[in-house]
Structure formats: structure tokens, C-alpha cells
Amino acid sequence: MIQKVERHVIRKNNANWQACHKLCSLSRKLGNCAVYLLRHRFFEKAPVLTRKELDTELRHQYGSDYRAMPSAASAQRQGQVIAKQFKSFAKAAVEYSKHSEKFQGKPRLPGYRKKYRTFYVGRNGYQIRDGQLTITGGKDIGFSPIRVVCCERQELNAKAQEAVAGDLRIIPMGNTFIVELTYRVGREESNNPKSVSLNPNEALCCDLGIDNFAAFVSTKPGVRPFLVKGKILKSINQRYNKQVAELKSKKHYEHIRIKGVNDNVPVPLRQTSEDEENQKLTRLEIKA
């Protein structure tokens, strides 16, 4: 079996935007509580809490944040994800102490989030009927059913062997939210192009430009054409190039690297007085 992901973009004009905002905010609060407990265990050099122990501690110490989640399934899943992050950190820290050359930097302890945190829920926290996905407790926060194409029907808390859909994630990304639903398909079905749930009679045409970065036209009735402005990107790029040129003129190569132009740009060593004299003589020879 191969795992795939079905994605839905929730923008501000979507009816579920406010619900996604609330779900990710509630996940941040409960997630930060779990991080607080595990970080203090780490600093006190105490044994790491298991998923079940962490869930029990969250219920007792942060009951209000735990109950604020739409369902117990989503609250449990949030704690499981945080526990898995700390477990991965512990393994990485041990491996770093033995083979630091395998890493680009020292593993960092999972920290807190200020605004949002990804909302997770397993197959015991949602159901799919007639292609409509509903979250347990979603009606109380205004989460409307979402049309999915990967699965037509799956009952609440379906058995792992029978379930097609897996985890449901709501990922904050800028001013939008990405709703992701994992699902499984057979290896033969994944190689079959007809298994992709797309309408061959519909298309989205894209024309790239400069002032208008992209123009989109859809063949689907009811979808209005739209433009993506490019002047803002042009101005950002021009200002960026101007800053880089100014830094190059002052030979501030480290600052260019911080700006992110190219990490492979070699940083020259500081010139000695002899090198400077040789350069002056070369310039005089050229002028002559």
C-alpha cells in the first residue's frame, strides 16, 4: 500500500476559515502545555513521559485547554504528536553526540508556538459519508463538511485494516490553511493514471508575465479568471539586487551570505597590505 495526501486550500473567503483559525489556535494552546511539561522533564533530567502518561498529565493539569478541543480524539492526537517530536529530538541528540558530521547543526529542543500550531486528528475523530468529511465536534465551532474524493464512505473510528483515510491535518500557512487528508491506495492503482480523481474535461490555463506575474483562466463554468500581480515582486527583487550591489562594493561578503544570495559564494580572506599594494600596482599598469 502507498500513502498519498489529498489537499484543500482554505482561504479567507472560505466558510471554514474561521473554524480552521480556531482549531489551530486551540492546538497551539494545548500543544504549548505539552511542550512545557516535556521541556521541564528534560531540564530536570527526569525520564521522558510516554504518550499515555503525557495525556494523563494534560487532562489533570490543563483540563480547560484539553476540553476546549473539539473532541478527546483530537486532544489525544495533539499530545501524541508533541511526544513524538521530543522522542525524535532525543534520538537525534544521541546520534549528534556520536556522529556530528551527519548534521548541519545541533538538534534543538522543540519549542513553543506564538500564533498557530498544526491541528491533528486520527480516524477516530472524523467520519466520511457520501464523500463529505465531518470532524467530531466541528459543528460547535462552525466547521462545515468538506467534499473529499479519496474516499466515499468511512465510519468513525474505522478499523486500521479497513480504513482508507488516515490522519487529518489542518496546517497554517500565511493567511491560509491547508487541510490534508492522508489515504492509502494499492501499488497497482497508484500506477494507473485513471485512478486519479480528476475531470479530464476541466483545465486551468496559466500565462506567465512580468507586470502580471501570472494570468489564470479556467474551463470550469463559474470560475472567474484572475491575475497575480508581479510589480510587487519586481520591486522586492530590485531592492534586493541594489542591497547586494552595495554590499559587494563594500566587500561585505558575510552580509551577502546572510541576505541569502548564495551560500556557496566564497568569502575572501582579509587582504594584507602586500596584497593591497599589488592590486594598486596592477591598476596603475592598466591605466598606463
Side-chain angles (χ1 to χ4, degrees), residues 66-82:
Y66 195 95
R67 290 189 297 270
M69 297 291 285
S71 64
S74 58
Q76 289 173 356
R77 188 68 181 126
Q78 191 66 41
Q80 291 172 0
V81 170
I82 300 299

Side-chain angles (χ1 to χ4, degrees), residues 129-166:
R129 290 184 178 178
D130 298 326
Q132 299 289 329
L133 183 146
T134 55
I135 299 175
T136 304
K139 188 176 181 181
D140 297 333
I141 59 175
F143 191 89
S144 303
I146 294 179
R147 173 69 182 172
V148 295
V149 296
C150 64
C151 180
E152 192 67 23
R153 186 179 183 86
Q154 181 169 302
E155 294 298 331
L156 183 70
N157 201 14
K159 294 182 179 180
Q161 297 81 4
E162 301 174 356
V164 174

Side-chain angles (χ1 to χ4, degrees), residues 15 18 105 110 137 187 191 197 206 214-215 229 239 252 261 270:
Q18 284 293 340
R187 191 173 297 275
N191 295 328
S197 300
C206 174
K229 292 183 179 180
R239 182 172 178 271
H252 292 172
V261 175
R270 185 177 179 182

Side-chain angles (χ1 to χ4, degrees), residues 77-132:
R77 188 68 181 126
Q78 191 66 41
Q80 291 172 0
V81 170
I82 300 299
K84 186 177 180 180
Q85 291 175 358
F86 274 82
K87 187 177 180 180
S88 300
F89 163 76
K91 288 184 178 180
V94 172
E95 186 66 19
Y96 180 81
S97 63
K98 296 178 180 178
H99 304 283
S100 59
E101 68 278 1
K102 295 182 180 180
F103 296 78
Q104 295 182 351
K106 186 177 180 180
R108 294 193 299 176
L109 192 66
Y112 304 99
R113 297 291 176 86
K114 293 183 179 180
K115 189 175 182 181
Y116 293 130
R117 190 180 285 272
T118 300
F119 172 82
Y120 295 91
V121 67
R123 62 183 182 277
N124 58 341
Y126 66 87
Q127 64 180 0
I128 303 173
R129 290 184 178 178
D130 298 326
Q132 299 289 329

